[in-house]
Amino acid sequence: MIFGDRMKFQAKSDRMSGYNFYFPITAPYEARNIINKMKENDSTEASKEPKWPAVYAVSLAVAGLITSEFLPVSILTPIAKDLHITEGTAGQAISITALIAMFSSLFIAMITRKIDRRWVLLFFSVLQIFSNILVAFAPSFLVLTTGRILLGIAVGGFWAMSTATAMRLVPPRLISKALSIVYASVSIATVLAAPLGSFLGSMIGWRNVFLLVAGLGGLSLIWQAVTLPSMPPASPPKFRTLLDVLNHDLVKKGMLGVLFAFAGYAIFFTYLRPFLENITNVHVNTLTIILLCYGLANFIGALIARFMLDRKFSATMALAPFSMCFFTALLIFSGANMIAASLCIAFWGLAFGSVQVGWPTWLTLAIPDEAESGGSILVATTQLAITLGAGLGGLIFDKTGIKGTFGLGSLVLFLAALMAARALKGKIWKVPSGKDSIVHI
């Protein structure tokens, strides 16, 4: 996270590489106000004791939210069968959550501007628990959708405050470490959620899987209640600033790239299980292994993306969605072969790692003085993309089948590559590196 010349974190020996991983990472509205207050009271803040148990509690809550949001991906088929709906309709459980999270991430800080942040975060954790319980006992798709709407409020709201919360729990010199702990939980949830959901779903049923995640939310709620201090809200954010940033020509071009890239991701990943079951004809155990390999490949891709972006930023940003487009198309023609399908999926996840890391990094380079407002726009655009991708993908799936859905995904990812090249054209994009480099959080 770079705020131009206003705020720079110099790289330290304890620096970790995961600061700007994964698409939900944002710098919320309150961040600048908190940083300014820290700078005004530097001597006091520097001497205060870090509240690491609270940081880990927030990290656990984030892991539970990410797991809850994408859990239906790995158990889409049993959900559809149990509720007597199509798999395309079941996929809307993801799109509706993303849609609500988009609005929640934009407006929740303004709506709750007078409420202690401790109570707001605890409320979102309660929402997560209740939503998963509601889904677990849902007798119909309508009730399931209601639960997913509540989850969307929690996901968007918690993400809008998690960065600022971590920054208030530690002194300035430890902010980057605190944020890396919070965001490390995202990578863990990304790697493990899908394969664990698939495996446990086959063992104990999809409803009990949601109950287990509700239990995880309960654990994080108790931990937060015990460790989170009182956190009076910072100055209320201004919606006008958000509009000014969105009106920036460079931001418009970049957000188109984000929109197409994550819409392509949603189309591919949401309906990956039906593809593997209907085209590749794999059983649940094999499906779990393939999903685990995808998660590990994605994690590795996010790790090496930093080095690729350091050397060839523009080329990496355009090549990553093009590679995803290529492997999606290849999967349509070779997906009947399990080995070929597994390799295509793994390489797809590897390429997606650069997309996840690249766009938050691009944002800090494109608008360094408005990174927090830009970050809120980024998360909203991402959630909108997931909404459109999962929703449109479900409609195509019900009309033409899974190959038609993946064909659409390949086309959308091709457009994402074109939009990325357009957004990066005409400028030299250089990610600072070396011992005096700025840490991109």
Side-chain angles (χ1 to χ4, degrees), residues 130-362:
F130 182 68
S131 69
N132 282 312
I133 292 175
L134 198 59
V135 170
F137 291 101
S140 66
F141 184 66
L142 178 61
V143 177
L144 183 142
T145 301
T146 303
R148 298 294 293 178
I149 288 173
L150 295 177
L151 178 65
I153 297 172
V155 169
F158 204 101
W159 267 116
M161 298 178 183
S162 59
T163 300
T165 300
M167 292 165 66
R168 298 176 73 166
L169 296 174
V170 297
R173 70 182 188 279
L174 296 174
I175 285 176
S176 59
K177 183 178 179 181
L179 290 174
S180 70
I181 291 172
V182 172
Y183 296 145
S185 65
V186 180
S187 65
I188 295 172
T190 302
V191 171
L192 296 179
L196 274 180
S198 174
F199 175 73
L200 292 175
S202 66
M203 299 289 290
I204 61 176
W206 68 270
R207 294 180 183 274
N208 287 320
V209 174
F210 277 100
L211 287 177
L212 285 177
V213 178
L216 179 64
L219 181 61
S220 73
L221 174 64
I222 295 171
W223 200 355
Q224 288 176 89
V226 171
T227 59
L228 282 178
S230 175
M231 293 177 287
S235 301
K238 295 180 179 179
F239 189 64
R240 180 65 193 174
T241 303
L242 195 68
L243 295 177
D244 289 341
V245 172
L246 187 57
N247 198 43
H248 196 295
D249 185 58
L250 195 58
V251 174
K252 289 179 183 177
K253 292 179 180 178
M255 290 306 105
L256 277 176
V258 172
L259 185 69
F260 281 102
F262 284 99
Y265 156 79
I267 293 170
F268 176 85
F269 194 56
T270 303
Y271 302 101
L272 181 57
R273 174 165 179 162
F275 181 92
L276 290 171
E277 289 179 330
N278 296 321
I279 304 300
T280 315
N281 294 315
V282 299
H283 298 293
V284 173
N285 290 340
T286 306
L287 174 68
T288 300
I289 295 172
I290 292 175
L291 291 174
L292 179 60
C293 290
Y294 162 85
L296 291 173
N298 180 231
F299 183 67
I300 293 170
L303 288 176
I304 65 175
R306 174 172 163 257
F307 302 101
M308 296 172 65
L309 292 166
D310 281 349
R311 288 159 178 77
K312 295 288 184 180
F313 190 89
S314 297
T316 301
M317 290 295 292
L319 241 140
F322 182 78
S323 299
M324 293 158 63
C325 161
F326 172 77
F327 287 115
T328 303
L330 187 61
L331 194 59
I332 296 173
F333 296 102
S334 62
N337 184 288
M338 188 181 69
I339 295 177
S342 300
L343 289 174
C344 284
I345 292 167
F347 281 118
W348 196 101
L350 193 73
F352 184 53
S354 293
V355 173
Q356 292 170 296
V357 177
W359 283 115
T361 303
W362 170 86

